[in-house]
Amino acid sequence: MHISVTVDGTAYQADVEPRTLLVHWLREGIGKVGTVVGCDTSNCGSCTVLLDGRSVKSCSVLAVQADGSSVTTIQGLSDGNEWHPVQTAFKECHGLQCGYCTPGMVMSTVDLLSENPNPTEAEIREGLEGNLCRCTGYHNIVKSVALAADLMGGSTK
Amino acid sequence: MIPVAFDYVRPSTVDEAVAALVAGGEDAKVMVGGQSLMPVLRLRLGAPSLIVDCSRIDEMIGIREEGDSIVIGAGTTHHAVMNNDLVKRYVTLLAQATATVADPQIRHRGTMGGSLAHADPAGDLPAVAAALDATFTIAGPGGRRTVAASDFFVDYFTTAVGDDEVLASVSFPKREGWGSHYEKFNRTAQAWAIVGVAAAVRMEGGRIAEARIGLTNVGTTPIRARSVEAALVGAADAAAIAAASESAADGTAPTTDIHADAEYRSHLTRVLTKRAVQKAAGM
Ligand SMILES: Cc1cc2nc3c(=O)[nH]c(=O)nc-3n(C[C@H](O)[C@H](O)[C@H](O)COP(=O)(O)OP(=O)(O)OC[C@H]3O[C@@H](n4cnc5c(N)ncnc54)[C@H](O)[C@@H]3O)c2cc1C
Ligand code: FES
Ligand code: FES
């Protein structure tokens, strides 16, 4: 089936099999390998991207379902060489260990802060409940999100 | 894993969707949010030959006021439902329970109708629909029909929606000013309910005048705790609610699994009913 999808600001046209998962098309179809797959059960959230501005698990969406939509992956967050504040905050607070969950954590954080620029610690933890960190580095991830909120103009309660 | 190959259509009206299901026969499957179906396809627990994607049917999306009811399109996402002002005001229990479903990413895609049509005994919304006496509008080759919540949930993962039918919308009677609470017991964030209790109460002069209680995951379908509902009428304090909740597990048929055995689920049913009603009533 033919699809037109804008990914990280670039318009793509492609022919895909209906069974192609969005994450597979992103990785194998157009080389967006920053988005990773961590499970087969829709649990881990490492594949999280923004679909028309909202966080989704790209392993749980068909590429054909993204037809006509706009996708933002971790590779589309920075502005040239200028990192997105959420990326900066994860680096500053050591919000990653092995880094596998990080693309998903960062994208979920971008979504969380767009809806709630001023999250409490509890709201941060709830807001990231769809993302698992196998290294269990949650403490610094929560700190990173709080710093990101500050950097972006909100101030965490 | 990669799903088994299938054909895919994306109808733009309910009638087109029904026609596609009829043409596709037994192996055709509706997908809306895909948040229950995608894991099934990926793990190859199911292999439909045709996916009928109903996520872009305007008629199935949105929330509107219709007389004494709030009508919610089956394809409205969990995220839209829980943040909608009409739902928060008139169907508060639904907004509360929806906020406990899965996680933000899944709530952005998953739909209210999908949860109800999927009818997982551990799903949170069936008990709410049962407690609030929702009415389901189902479209099929013979036209539209409405089904009461008491007839909608038939069995484990089985509803009144036939293979060639689509759940179009669900209507909830407006209940403004009721107190409500969804008490969900689970092991970890993002996990399914081991037991859940959906409670709504109408207060009059500091006493419970009317109560509605739906139970999650203590039977093959959601269960109304009718004896508790009756016993709660007139309750004016936390102790009276606790006493009325003692019969909450009567008539349930909980299963034993890796998370909890049946006896523990019965215990939870009583305790969570008490908590849910006390919070709903503010006592
Ligand atoms: C990790 C994870 C955690 C979850 N946790 C919870 C939880 O805590 N509580 C909870 O309640 N749910 C939970 N869910 C399920 C989630 O809420 C799903 O969104 C929901 O159950 C299905 O909605 P959907 O629109 O995605 O349906 P789909 O996946 O598209 O469809 C599910 C089934 O329903 C049928 N169907 C869907 N819509 C219709 C319709 N309009 N007419 C006819 N048939 C239809 C499909 O054919 C399919 O059989 C979880 C899911 C995941 C992956
Ligand atoms: S890969 Fe685990 S949720 Fe998508
Ligand atoms: S940093 Fe290793 S999985 Fe999170």
Coordinates of all heavy atoms in Angstrom, one line a residue, chain A residues 1 17-21 24 39-45 48 51 54-57 59-62 64-69 104 108 111 115 126-132, chain B residues 1-8 10 31-35 38-39 41-44 51 53 55-56 79 83 99-109 188-191:
Chain A
M1 N 0.8 -1.2 0.0 CA 0.0 0.0 0.0 C 0.9 1.2 0.0 O 1.9 1.3 0.6 CB -0.9 0.0 1.3 CG -1.9 1.1 1.2 SD -3.0 0.9 2.7 CE -3.5 2.6 2.8
E17 N 4.1 -3.1 2.9 CA 3.1 -4.2 3.2 C 2.2 -3.8 4.4 O 2.8 -3.2 5.3 CB 3.9 -5.5 3.6 CG 4.1 -6.5 2.6 CD 4.6 -7.8 3.2 OE1 5.8 -7.9 3.5 OE2 3.7 -8.7 3.4
P18 N 0.9 -4.0 4.3 CA 0.1 -3.6 5.5 C 0.6 -4.1 6.8 O 0.4 -3.4 7.8 CB -1.3 -4.3 5.1 CG -1.3 -4.4 3.7 CD 0.1 -4.7 3.3
R19 N 1.3 -5.2 6.9 CA 1.7 -5.8 8.2 C 2.9 -5.1 8.7 O 3.4 -5.4 9.8 CB 1.9 -7.3 8.1 CG 3.1 -7.6 7.1 CD 3.4 -9.1 7.3 NE 4.2 -9.6 6.2 CZ 4.8 -10.8 6.2 NH1 4.6 -11.6 7.3 NH2 5.5 -11.2 5.2
T20 N 3.5 -4.2 7.9 CA 4.8 -3.5 8.4 C 4.5 -2.6 9.6 O 3.6 -1.8 9.6 CB 5.3 -2.6 7.3 OG1 5.4 -3.4 6.1 CG2 6.7 -2.1 7.6
L21 N 5.2 -2.9 10.7 CA 5.0 -2.0 11.9 C 5.7 -0.7 11.6 O 6.7 -0.6 10.9 CB 5.7 -2.6 13.1 CG 5.3 -4.1 13.4 CD1 6.0 -4.6 14.7 CD2 3.7 -4.2 13.6
H24 N 9.4 -0.6 12.2 CA 10.2 -1.3 11.2 C 10.4 -0.4 10.0 O 11.5 -0.4 9.4 CB 9.6 -2.7 10.9 CG 9.7 -3.7 12.0 ND1 8.8 -4.7 12.2 CD2 10.7 -3.8 12.9 CE1 9.2 -5.4 13.2 NE2 10.3 -4.9 13.7
C39 N 10.7 -4.9 23.1 CA 9.8 -6.0 23.6 C 8.9 -6.4 22.4 O 8.9 -5.8 21.4 CB 9.0 -5.6 24.8 SG 7.7 -4.4 24.4
D40 N 8.1 -7.4 22.7 CA 7.1 -7.8 21.8 C 5.7 -7.7 22.3 O 4.7 -8.2 21.8 CB 7.3 -9.3 21.4 CG 7.5 -9.5 19.9 OD1 7.0 -8.6 19.1 OD2 8.2 -10.4 19.4
T41 N 5.6 -7.0 23.4 CA 4.3 -7.0 24.1 C 3.7 -5.6 24.4 O 2.8 -5.4 25.2 CB 4.5 -7.7 25.5 OG1 5.6 -7.0 26.2 CG2 4.8 -9.1 25.4
S42 N 4.2 -4.6 23.7 CA 3.8 -3.2 23.9 C 4.0 -2.6 25.3 O 3.4 -1.6 25.7 CB 2.2 -3.1 23.6 OG 2.0 -3.5 22.3
N43 N 4.9 -3.2 26.0 CA 5.1 -2.8 27.4 C 6.3 -1.7 27.6 O 6.1 -0.8 28.4 CB 5.5 -3.9 28.3 CG 4.3 -4.7 28.6 OD1 4.0 -5.8 28.1 ND2 3.5 -4.2 29.6
C44 N 7.4 -1.9 26.8 CA 8.6 -1.2 27.3 C 8.7 0.3 26.9 O 9.4 1.0 27.5 CB 9.8 -1.9 26.7 SG 10.1 -1.7 25.0
G45 N 8.1 0.7 25.8 CA 8.1 2.1 25.4 C 9.4 2.6 24.8 O 9.5 3.8 24.5
T48 N 9.0 4.6 21.5 CA 8.1 5.7 21.5 C 8.5 6.8 20.5 O 9.7 7.2 20.5 CB 8.0 6.3 22.9 OG1 7.5 5.3 23.8 CG2 7.0 7.5 23.0
L51 N 3.3 10.9 17.2 CA 2.5 10.7 15.9 C 1.5 11.9 16.0 O 0.7 11.9 16.9 CB 1.8 9.4 15.9 CG 0.9 9.0 14.8 CD1 1.7 9.0 13.4 CD2 0.3 7.7 15.0
R54 N 1.6 13.4 19.5 CA 1.3 12.7 20.7 C 2.1 11.4 20.8 O 2.4 10.7 19.7 CB -0.2 12.2 20.8 CG -1.2 13.3 20.6 CD -1.6 14.1 21.8 NE -0.7 14.2 23.0 CZ -1.0 15.0 23.9 NH1 -2.0 15.8 23.9 NH2 -0.2 15.1 25.0
S55 N 2.6 11.1 22.0 CA 3.4 9.9 22.1 C 2.7 8.6 21.8 O 1.5 8.4 22.2 CB 4.0 9.8 23.5 OG 3.0 9.7 24.5
V56 N 3.3 7.7 21.0 CA 2.7 6.4 20.7 C 3.9 5.4 20.7 O 5.0 5.8 20.5 CB 2.0 6.3 19.4 CG1 0.8 7.4 19.3 CG2 2.9 6.6 18.2
K57 N 3.5 4.1 20.9 CA 4.5 3.1 20.8 C 4.5 2.6 19.3 O 3.6 2.1 18.8 CB 4.1 1.9 21.7 CG 4.2 2.4 23.2 CD 3.8 1.4 24.2 CE 4.1 1.9 25.6 NZ 3.6 1.0 26.7
C59 N 5.8 0.3 17.8 CA 5.7 -1.1 17.5 C 4.2 -1.5 17.5 O 3.9 -2.6 17.2 CB 6.5 -1.9 18.6 SG 5.6 -1.8 20.2
S60 N 3.4 -0.6 18.0 CA 2.0 -0.9 18.1 C 1.1 -0.1 17.2 O -0.1 0.0 17.4 CB 1.5 -0.7 19.6 OG 2.4 -1.4 20.4
V61 N 1.7 0.4 16.1 CA 1.0 1.1 15.1 C 1.5 0.6 13.8 O 2.7 0.3 13.6 CB 1.4 2.6 15.2 CG1 0.6 3.4 14.1 CG2 1.0 3.2 16.5
L62 N 0.6 0.4 12.8 CA 1.0 -0.1 11.5 C 1.5 1.1 10.7 O 1.0 2.2 10.8 CB -0.1 -0.7 10.7 CG -0.7 -2.0 11.4 CD1 -2.0 -2.4 10.6 CD2 0.3 -3.1 11.3
V64 N 0.9 1.7 7.7 CA -0.2 2.2 6.9 C -1.1 3.1 7.7 O -1.8 4.0 7.2 CB -1.0 1.1 6.3 CG1 -0.2 0.4 5.1 CG2 -1.5 0.1 7.3
Q65 N -1.1 3.0 9.0 CA -1.9 3.8 9.9 C -1.3 5.2 10.1 O -2.0 6.1 10.5 CB -2.2 3.2 11.3 CG -3.0 1.9 11.2 CD -3.2 1.3 12.6 OE1 -2.3 0.9 13.2 NE2 -4.5 1.3 13.0
A66 N -0.1 5.4 9.7 CA 0.6 6.7 9.8 C 0.4 7.5 8.6 O 0.9 8.6 8.5 CB 2.0 6.5 10.2
D67 N -0.2 6.9 7.6 CA -0.4 7.5 6.3 C -1.1 8.9 6.5 O -2.1 9.0 7.2 CB -1.3 6.6 5.4 CG -1.5 7.2 4.0 OD1 -0.6 8.0 3.5 OD2 -2.5 6.9 3.4
G68 N -0.5 9.9 5.9 CA -1.1 11.3 6.0 C -0.7 12.0 7.3 O -1.1 13.1 7.6
S69 N 0.1 11.3 8.1 CA 0.5 11.9 9.4 C 1.9 12.4 9.5 O 2.7 12.2 8.6 CB 0.3 10.9 10.6 OG -1.1 10.5 10.6
G104 N 13.0 6.4 23.9 CA 11.6 6.4 24.3 C 11.4 7.3 25.5 O 10.4 8.0 25.6
S108 N 8.8 10.4 25.4 CA 7.6 10.4 26.4 C 7.7 11.7 27.2 O 6.7 12.3 27.6 CB 7.6 9.2 27.3 OG 7.2 8.1 26.6
D111 N 6.4 14.7 25.3 CA 4.9 14.6 25.3 C 4.4 15.1 26.7 O 3.5 15.9 26.8 CB 4.4 13.2 25.0 CG 2.9 13.2 25.0 OD1 2.3 13.5 23.9 OD2 2.3 12.8 26.0
E115 N 2.0 18.6 27.7 CA 0.7 18.6 28.3 C 0.7 19.2 29.7 O -0.2 19.8 30.2 CB 0.1 17.1 28.3 CG -1.3 17.1 28.7 CD -2.0 15.8 28.3 OE1 -2.4 15.6 27.1 OE2 -2.0 14.9 29.1
E126 N 4.2 9.0 37.0 CA 3.0 8.5 36.3 C 3.1 8.7 34.8 O 2.7 7.8 34.0 CB 1.8 9.3 36.8 CG 1.3 8.9 38.2 CD 0.0 8.1 38.2 OE1 -0.9 8.5 37.4 OE2 -0.1 7.1 39.0
G127 N 3.6 9.9 34.5 CA 3.7 10.2 33.0 C 4.6 9.3 32.3 O 4.5 9.2 31.0
L128 N 5.6 8.7 33.0 CA 6.5 7.8 32.3 C 6.2 6.4 32.5 O 7.1 5.5 32.3 CB 8.0 8.2 32.7 CG 8.5 9.5 32.3 CD1 9.9 9.7 32.8 CD2 8.4 9.8 30.8
E129 N 5.0 6.1 33.0 CA 4.7 4.7 33.3 C 4.7 3.7 32.1 O 4.8 2.5 32.3 CB 3.4 4.5 34.1 CG 2.1 4.8 33.4 CD 0.9 4.6 34.2 OE1 0.8 3.7 35.0 OE2 -0.1 5.4 34.1
G130 N 4.6 4.3 30.9 CA 4.7 3.5 29.7 C 6.1 3.2 29.2 O 6.3 2.7 28.1
N131 N 7.1 3.6 30.0 CA 8.5 3.4 29.6 C 9.3 2.6 30.7 O 9.2 3.0 31.9 CB 9.2 4.7 29.4 CG 8.6 5.5 28.2 OD1 7.5 6.0 28.3 ND2 9.2 5.4 27.1
L132 N 9.9 1.5 30.3 CA 10.7 0.7 31.3 C 12.1 0.9 31.1 O 12.6 1.0 29.9 CB 10.3 -0.7 31.1 CG 8.8 -1.1 31.2 CD1 8.6 -2.6 31.1 CD2 8.2 -0.6 32.6
Chain B
M1 N 8.0 -9.7 16.9 CA 7.8 -10.5 15.7 C 7.0 -9.7 14.7 O 6.3 -8.7 15.0 CB 7.1 -11.8 16.0 CG 7.9 -13.0 15.9 SD 6.9 -14.5 15.8 CE 6.3 -14.6 17.4
I2 N 7.0 -10.1 13.4 CA 6.3 -9.5 12.4 C 5.0 -10.3 12.2 O 5.0 -11.5 12.2 CB 7.1 -9.5 11.1 CG1 8.4 -8.6 11.3 CG2 6.3 -8.9 9.9 CD1 9.4 -8.7 10.2
P3 N 3.8 -9.6 12.1 CA 2.6 -10.3 12.0 C 2.5 -11.1 10.7 O 3.2 -10.8 9.7 CB 1.5 -9.1 11.9 CG 2.2 -7.9 12.5 CD 3.7 -8.1 12.2
V4 N 1.6 -12.1 10.6 CA 1.3 -12.8 9.4 C 0.7 -11.8 8.4 O 0.0 -10.9 8.9 CB 0.4 -14.0 9.7 CG1 -0.1 -14.7 8.4 CG2 1.0 -15.0 10.7
A5 N 1.0 -11.9 7.2 CA 0.5 -11.0 6.2 C -1.0 -10.9 6.2 O -1.7 -11.9 6.4 CB 1.0 -11.3 4.8
F6 N -1.6 -9.7 5.9 CA -3.0 -9.6 5.8 C -3.3 -8.5 4.8 O -2.4 -7.7 4.5 CB -3.6 -9.2 7.2 CG -2.9 -8.1 8.0 CD1 -3.1 -6.8 7.6 CD2 -2.1 -8.4 9.0 CE1 -2.5 -5.8 8.3 CE2 -1.4 -7.4 9.7 CZ -1.6 -6.1 9.4
D7 N -4.6 -8.4 4.4 CA -5.0 -7.3 3.6 C -5.5 -6.2 4.5 O -5.9 -6.5 5.7 CB -6.1 -7.7 2.6 CG -5.6 -8.7 1.5 OD1 -4.4 -8.5 1.1 OD2 -6.3 -9.6 1.1
Y8 N -5.6 -5.0 4.0 CA -5.9 -3.9 4.9 C -6.9 -2.9 4.1 O -6.6 -2.6 3.0 CB -4.6 -3.2 5.2 CG -4.8 -1.8 6.0 CD1 -4.9 -1.8 7.4 CD2 -4.8 -0.6 5.3 CE1 -5.0 -0.6 8.0 CE2 -4.9 0.6 5.9 CZ -5.0 0.6 7.3 OH -5.1 1.8 8.0
R10 N -9.3 0.8 4.9 CA -9.6 1.8 5.8 C -10.8 2.6 5.4 O -10.8 3.6 4.7 CB -8.4 2.8 5.9 CG -8.5 3.8 7.0 CD -7.1 4.4 7.3 NE -6.7 5.2 6.1 CZ -5.4 5.3 5.7 NH1 -4.4 4.6 6.4 NH2 -5.1 6.0 4.7
M31 N -10.0 -3.2 13.5 CA -9.0 -2.6 14.3 C -9.3 -1.2 14.5 O -9.7 -0.5 13.5 CB -7.6 -2.8 13.7 CG -6.5 -2.1 14.5 SD -4.8 -2.2 13.8 CE -4.4 -3.8 13.9
V32 N -9.2 -0.7 15.7 CA -9.4 0.8 15.9 C -8.1 1.3 16.5 O -7.2 1.8 15.7 CB -10.6 1.1 16.7 CG1 -10.9 2.6 16.7 CG2 -11.9 0.4 16.1
G33 N -7.9 1.2 17.8 CA -6.6 1.7 18.3 C -5.5 0.7 18.1 O -4.3 1.1 18.1
G34 N -5.8 -0.5 18.0 CA -4.8 -1.6 17.8 C -4.0 -1.9 19.0 O -3.1 -2.7 19.0
Q35 N -4.4 -1.3 20.1 CA -3.5 -1.5 21.3 C -3.7 -2.9 22.0 O -2.9 -3.3 22.8 CB -3.7 -0.4 22.3 CG -3.4 1.0 21.7 CD -2.0 1.0 21.1 OE1 -1.0 1.0 21.9 NE2 -1.8 1.1 19.8
M38 N -2.7 -5.3 18.1 CA -1.3 -5.4 17.6 C -0.5 -6.4 18.4 O 0.3 -7.2 17.7 CB -0.7 -4.0 17.7 CG -1.2 -3.0 16.6 SD -0.9 -3.5 14.9 CE 0.9 -3.6 14.9
P39 N -0.5 -6.5 19.7 CA 0.3 -7.5 20.4 C -0.2 -8.9 20.0 O 0.7 -9.8 19.8 CB 0.0 -7.3 21.9 CG -0.4 -5.8 22.0 CD -1.1 -5.5 20.7
L41 N -1.4 -9.8 17.0 CA -0.9 -10.1 15.7 C 0.6 -10.3 15.7 O 1.2 -11.2 15.0 CB -1.2 -8.9 14.8 CG -2.6 -8.5 14.5 CD1 -2.7 -7.3 13.6 CD2 -3.4 -9.7 13.9
R42 N 1.3 -9.5 16.5 CA 2.8 -9.6 16.6 C 3.2 -10.9 17.2 O 4.2 -11.5 16.7 CB 3.4 -8.5 17.4 CG 3.9 -7.3 16.6 CD 4.6 -6.3 17.5 NE 4.3 -6.5 18.9 CZ 3.8 -5.5 19.6 NH1 3.6 -4.3 19.1 NH2 3.5 -5.7 20.9
L43 N 2.5 -11.4 18.2 CA 2.9 -12.7 18.8 C 2.3 -13.8 18.0 O 2.4 -15.0 18.3 CB 2.4 -12.7 20.2 CG 3.0 -11.7 21.2 CD1 2.3 -11.6 22.5 CD2 4.5 -12.0 21.4
R44 N 1.6 -13.5 16.9 CA 0.9 -14.5 16.0 C -0.1 -15.4 16.8 O -0.2 -16.5 16.5 CB 2.0 -15.3 15.3 CG 2.8 -14.4 14.4 CD 3.6 -15.1 13.3 NE 4.2 -14.1 12.4 CZ 4.8 -14.5 11.3 NH1 4.8 -15.7 10.8 NH2 5.4 -13.5 10.5
I51 N -7.7 -6.8 7.7 CA -7.9 -5.8 8.8 C -8.7 -4.7 8.3 O -8.4 -4.1 7.3 CB -6.5 -5.3 9.3 CG1 -5.7 -6.4 10.0 CG2 -6.7 -4.1 10.2 CD1 -6.2 -6.7 11.4
D53 N -9.6 -1.2 9.2 CA -9.2 -0.1 10.2 C -10.3 0.9 10.3 O -10.6 1.7 9.3 CB -7.9 0.5 9.6 CG -7.4 1.6 10.5 OD1 -8.0 2.0 11.4 OD2 -6.3 2.1 10.2
S55 N -10.3 3.4 12.4 CA -9.9 4.6 13.2 C -10.1 5.9 12.6 O -9.9 6.9 13.2 CB -8.4 4.4 13.5 OG -7.6 4.5 12.4
R56 N -10.5 5.9 11.3 CA -10.7 7.2 10.7 C -12.2 7.4 10.2 O -12.4 8.0 9.1 CB -9.8 7.4 9.5 CG -8.3 7.5 10.0 CD -7.4 8.1 9.0 NE -6.0 7.7 9.3 CZ -5.0 8.1 8.6 NH1 -5.2 8.7 7.5 NH2 -3.8 7.7 8.9
H79 N -7.5 8.9 25.8 CA -7.0 10.2 26.2 C -8.0 11.3 26.0 O -8.2 12.2 26.8 CB -5.7 10.5 25.3 CG -5.1 11.9 25.6 ND1 -5.3 13.0 24.8 CD2 -4.3 12.2 26.6 CE1 -4.6 14.0 25.3 NE2 -4.0 13.6 26.4
N83 N -10.1 13.4 29.3 CA -9.9 14.9 29.3 C -11.1 15.7 28.9 O -11.1 16.9 28.8 CB -8.7 15.3 28.5 CG -7.4 14.8 29.1 OD1 -7.1 15.1 30.3 ND2 -6.7 14.0 28.4
A99 N -8.5 7.0 33.2 CA -7.2 7.5 33.6 C -6.3 6.4 34.2 O -5.1 6.5 34.2 CB -7.3 8.6 34.6
T100 N -6.9 5.3 34.6 CA -6.1 4.2 35.1 C -5.7 3.1 34.1 O -5.0 2.2 34.4 CB -6.8 3.4 36.3 OG1 -7.8 2.6 35.8 CG2 -7.4 4.4 37.3
V101 N -6.2 3.3 32.9 CA -6.0 2.3 31.8 C -4.5 2.4 31.3 O -4.1 3.5 30.9 CB -7.0 2.5 30.6 CG1 -6.6 1.7 29.4 CG2 -8.4 2.1 31.1
A102 N -3.8 1.4 31.3 CA -2.5 1.3 30.7 C -1.6 2.5 31.0 O -1.5 2.9 32.1 CB -2.7 1.1 29.2
D103 N -1.1 3.1 29.9 CA -0.1 4.3 30.1 C -0.4 5.3 29.0 O -1.3 5.1 28.2 CB 1.3 3.7 30.0 CG 1.5 3.0 28.7 OD1 1.2 3.5 27.6 OD2 2.0 1.8 28.7
P104 N 0.2 6.5 29.1 CA -0.1 7.6 28.2 C -0.1 7.2 26.7 O -1.0 7.5 26.0 CB 0.9 8.7 28.5 CG 1.3 8.4 29.9 CD 1.3 6.9 30.1
Q105 N 1.0 6.5 26.3 CA 1.1 6.1 24.9 C -0.1 5.3 24.4 O -0.6 5.5 23.4 CB 2.4 5.4 24.6 CG 3.7 6.2 24.8 CD 4.3 5.9 26.1 OE1 3.7 5.9 27.2 NE2 5.6 5.6 26.1
I106 N -0.4 4.3 25.3 CA -1.6 3.4 24.9 C -2.9 4.2 24.9 O -3.7 4.0 24.1 CB -1.5 2.2 25.8 CG1 -0.3 1.3 25.4 CG2 -2.8 1.4 25.7 CD1 0.0 0.2 26.3
R107 N -3.0 5.1 25.9 CA -4.2 5.9 25.9 C -4.4 6.9 24.7 O -5.4 7.3 24.4 CB -4.3 6.7 27.3 CG -4.5 5.7 28.5 CD -5.0 6.5 29.7 NE -4.0 7.4 30.1 CZ -3.1 7.2 31.1 NH1 -3.0 6.1 31.7 NH2 -2.2 8.2 31.5
H108 N -3.3 7.2 24.1 CA -3.3 8.1 22.9 C -3.9 7.3 21.7 O -4.4 8.0 20.8 CB -1.9 8.6 22.5 CG -1.4 9.7 23.5 ND1 -0.1 9.8 23.8 CD2 -2.1 10.7 24.1 CE1 0.0 10.9 24.6 NE2 -1.2 11.4 24.9
R109 N -3.7 6.0 21.7 CA -4.2 5.2 20.5 C -5.4 4.4 20.9 O -6.3 4.3 20.1 CB -3.1 4.2 20.0 CG -1.9 4.8 19.5 CD -2.0 5.4 18.1 NE -2.5 4.5 17.1 CZ -2.8 4.9 15.9 NH1 -2.8 6.2 15.5 NH2 -3.3 4.0 15.0
T188 N 1.9 -3.3 39.7 CA 2.8 -2.3 39.2 C 2.1 -1.3 38.4 O 1.0 -1.5 38.0 CB 3.9 -2.9 38.3 OG1 3.3 -3.6 37.2 CG2 4.8 -3.9 39.1
A189 N 2.8 -0.2 38.1 CA 2.2 0.8 37.2 C 1.9 0.1 35.9 O 2.6 -0.9 35.6 CB 3.2 1.9 37.0
Q190 N 1.0 0.6 35.1 CA 0.8 0.1 33.7 C 0.2 -1.3 33.7 O -0.1 -1.8 32.7 CB 2.1 0.1 32.9 CG 2.0 -0.1 31.4 CD 3.3 -0.7 30.9 OE1 3.8 -1.7 31.4 NE2 3.8 -0.1 29.8
A191 N 0.0 -1.9 34.9 CA -0.5 -3.3 34.9 C -2.1 -3.3 35.0 O -2.7 -2.4 35.3 CB 0.1 -4.1 36.1

